[in-house]
Amino acid sequence: MINELPPNERKYHILMCGLWFGPHKPNMNVFLKPFVTELSNLSRSGFKFIDVTNSKQIVTKVFPIICSSDAPTRAAIHNFIHYNGKYGCGFCQHSGERVEKGKGFCRIYPLQQPLPEIRSFEQCVNFAEEASLTGKAVHGVKGPTELMKLYPNFDLVQSFVPDYMHAVLLGIVRQIMSLWIQTSSNDFSINQKSLRVLNHRILSIKFPQETTRKLRSTNEVLFWKASEFRIFLFVSPIILKNLISKNVYNHWLLLVHGISLLLVNEVTTNDLEEAEFALQKFVYGVKDIYGIQEQTYNIHLLLHLPQAVKSWGPLWAHSCFIYEGTLGQLKQFHHGTRGEASQILSSYAMQPILKFLILQENVKNSRVQAYIQNMQQKRHSTIRNPKINNCVVLGLQKSIKLPRVHEVELLKLLPMNNQKSLSSVVSYERMLYCNKLFSTK
């Protein structure tokens, strides 16, 4: 992603630097080597292009500054122990503790005061050298990584950020929700009666135009997307009211408040301090409310979020939402079981060319233009009906019989010379009017 682009433009200009296909994960150092080599050259020598506005040659250098990923990928790139191993945090020296959970064991990260020592690049290099000599991980470092060659432009510790999408939404929000609705004998559990009320509230929410996805019932929470957990996080103070105990509710509000502060467009120093206090208090309270076994690595990562925001801006600016969306597009670029890589690469490379052709108006034939635009559009399974007066109804039609009182009101909207029976009509649940989506749900 190009940092210098405006935030609302970045998702349209994602640079794909590599693809991996295979039944197993790659050797990350081997996979990253060509990427690191090219980045080193671009940082040192840059690339040349002609500015079409003044015909002058310009040299631009490229510097890697930040990396956002989920925890397993981050550990693989770092060449560190995973979060379920000793010293599994890539940001600090917390060793974690191994405790019983269910019929097995898990690693937890209890809140420590003072907070564990933050890792440094020099320290990681020393640990990596020692690990190479001994063949054993040293403080979680298994060995060198190709990314060390990008220093000082890219710092192995400071240039990584905990991803808000994976750690908070798919991690903590999902974890706590599962504890609420999938247990029945705990003080924090939501009983069946309250759960029915919660689902009714969820399905009754009227979402604004900007919302791309609606919430589903908690019966389908195992299949919720990250965007659904995001919506739930922000509406939860309202829809959870009086459904969980006051202690649990107030504890949950600490998470909502802390994350909300770190998501605003302009985060002030006071916001950072307030968010840090709220999140530390939330982390501390997990043990007392949910038990020591729920002090997971994702919970621990909350302690590192304020520093990430202080260094790199609000959480939305470096979350994985954009990359996950692009990954979904890449999956649509192959249509057969052979040569997936070449199919994806050729289709991906064709996209900017098609956009360029349209923008430059090099294609004059309207049928060709329509064909190119159709190639660029995402395929939807939604049934789309004819357009009527700037209105497009969506989905399947249903024949219904109107009550007389509704029929009378509708007749008032029709011209006097076009009065007819409306006792039986066709209805739709959604429509587009002037490119805005309206829903009866």
Side-chain angles (χ1 to χ4, degrees):
M1 185 167 65
I2 303 173
N3 182 66
E4 280 67 28
L5 288 175
N8 60 332
E9 290 290 327
R10 293 174 186 172
K11 64 181 179 181
Y12 301 113
H13 303 280
I14 299 295
L15 304 176
M16 184 172 65
C17 301
L19 280 175
W20 172 259
F21 289 86
H24 306 290
K25 295 179 181 179
N27 180 316
M28 198 57 74
N29 276 337
V30 175
F31 182 69
L32 287 174
K33 189 170 184 177
F35 173 68
V36 170
T37 300
E38 185 168 354
L39 265 182
S40 298
N41 292 333
L42 289 171
S43 300
R44 183 172 54 256
S45 305
F47 64 93
K48 301 175 182 178
F49 66 95
I50 302 297
D51 187 343
V52 294
T53 60
N54 54 25
S55 300
K56 290 184 178 180
Q57 186 181 78
I58 296 177
V59 177
T60 295
K61 295 184 178 181
V62 179
F63 298 96
I65 56 173
I66 186 174
C67 179
S68 181
S69 69
D70 60 13
T73 303
R74 186 167 58 246
I77 296 173
H78 270 145
N79 202 10
F80 283 6
I81 291 288
H82 280 232
Y83 61 88
N84 54 358
K86 192 173 183 180
Y87 293 103
C89 180
F91 300 99
C92 70
Q93 297 271 25
H94 200 313
S95 61
E97 297 177 16
R98 192 166 180 262
V99 299
E100 290 187 18
K101 184 175 183 180
K103 297 181 179 180
F105 294 85
C106 68
R107 184 162 295 275
I108 63 169
Y109 290 81
L111 180 64
Q112 295 181 355
Q113 293 292 355
L115 297 177
E117 178 189 356
I118 299 298
R119 294 180 184 269
S120 68
F121 176 79
E122 294 77 9
Q123 187 185 68
C124 289
V125 171
N126 293 334
F127 289 158
E129 291 175 350
E130 186 177 345
S132 296
L133 294 174
T134 61
K136 296 181 180 179
V138 179
H139 283 261
V141 182
K142 295 161 61 177
T145 172
E146 282 290 313
L147 294 185
M148 290 178 175
K149 298 176 182 178
L150 297 176
Y151 188 80
N153 296 320
F154 186 89
D155 188 292
L156 196 60
V157 179
Q158 300 299 325
S159 292
F160 278 86
V161 291
D163 174 47
Y164 143 74
M165 187 191 87
H166 287 101
V168 178
L169 302 178
L170 294 173
I172 299 169
V173 179
R174 174 189 278 170
Q175 173 190 349
I176 301 298
M177 279 192 69
S178 298
L179 291 171
W180 288 341
I181 66 179
Q182 293 178 4
T183 60
S184 57
S185 58
N186 297 295
D187 294 337
F188 53 78
S189 303
I190 300 179
N191 60 46
Q192 289 301 310
K193 181 179 178 181
S194 296
L195 193 57
R196 286 193 293 270
V197 174
L198 176 60
N199 284 327
H200 175 73
R201 291 177 180 178
I202 286 175
L203 298 177
S204 300
I205 297 174
K206 305 297 182 183
F207 292 98
Q209 167 68 19
E210 293 78 11
T211 306
T212 57
R213 187 184 292 273
K214 295 181 180 180
L215 278 183
R216 289 175 283 180
S217 163
T218 58
N219 297 328
E220 300 181 70
V221 72
L222 294 177
F223 306 102
W224 277 19
K225 302 292 186 181
S227 56
E228 291 174 278
F229 286 110
R230 176 174 57 186
I231 295 171
F232 180 85
L233 179 69
F234 297 133
V235 302
S236 60
I238 299 172
I239 63 177
L240 285 174
K241 202 162 188 179
N242 300 323
L243 298 183
I244 54 179
S245 69
K246 187 175 181 180
N247 184 37
V248 175
Y249 180 75
N250 289 336
H251 177 255
W252 175 256
L253 290 184
L254 292 170
L255 176 68
V256 177
H257 182 57
I259 296 300
S260 298
L261 288 172
L262 299 181
L263 281 168
V264 297
N265 289 341
E266 296 181 8
V267 186
T268 66
T269 302
N270 288 337
D271 290 337
L272 281 172
E273 293 175 353
E274 191 173 340
E276 186 173 18
F277 176 78
L279 294 178
Q280 282 194 20
K281 198 171 180 181
F282 175 83
V283 173
Y284 181 80
V286 168
K287 175 186 65 174
D288 296 329
I289 295 177
Y290 302 104
I292 61 171
Q293 73 280 0
E294 298 302 332
Q295 296 174 300
T296 60
Y297 179 58
N298 285 324
I299 298 288
H300 169 73
L301 283 178
L302 290 175
L303 303 175
H304 295 296
L305 288 181
Q307 181 57 48
V309 171
K310 183 178 181 180
S311 299
W312 302 109
L315 295 178
W316 57 262
H318 42 75
S319 82
C320 283
F321 271 106
I322 289 179
Y323 306 115
E324 291 293 326
T326 303
L327 184 60
Q329 294 175 8
L330 292 180
K331 290 179 180 179
Q332 296 180 348
F333 286 160
H334 76 89
H335 309 284
T337 58
R338 295 184 179 181
E340 294 97 335
S342 58
Q343 291 179 43
I344 291 176
L345 285 172
S346 59
S347 298
Y348 185 83
M350 186 63 67
Q351 294 301 306
I353 298 175
L354 294 175
K355 292 178 182 178
F356 178 79
L357 289 174
I358 293 295
L359 290 174
Q360 295 297 314
E361 298 183 351
N362 291 333
V363 179
K364 303 298 182 182
N365 189 300
S366 59
R367 294 179 63 185
V368 175
Q369 288 181 351
Y371 178 75
I372 292 175
Q373 290 173 347
N374 182 59
M375 289 177 65
Q376 292 179 287
Q377 290 177 353
K378 184 178 180 180
R379 299 292 182 265
H380 294 279
S381 58
T382 303
I383 298 174
R384 187 163 177 145
N385 297 287
K387 185 175 182 180
I388 306 171
N389 296 331
N390 293 323
C391 176
V392 179
V393 288
L394 302 172
L396 294 172
Q397 66 180 31
K398 294 180 182 178
S399 296
I400 61 172
K401 290 187 177 181
L402 288 178
R404 179 58 184 168
V405 62
H406 292 171
E407 182 183 359
V408 171
E409 292 301 317
L410 281 176
L411 286 171
K412 293 178 181 179
L413 301 176
L414 296 177
M416 291 299 296
N417 59 356
N418 194 25
Q419 296 286 317
K420 56 184 178 181
S421 174
L422 294 177
S423 59
S424 295
V425 296
V426 173
S427 72
Y428 299 84
E429 290 186 344
R430 294 183 298 157
M431 72 172 183
L432 280 173
Y433 179 70
C434 295
N435 292 323
K436 289 188 177 181
L437 181 66
F438 294 84
S439 174
T440 57
K441 286 187 176 181

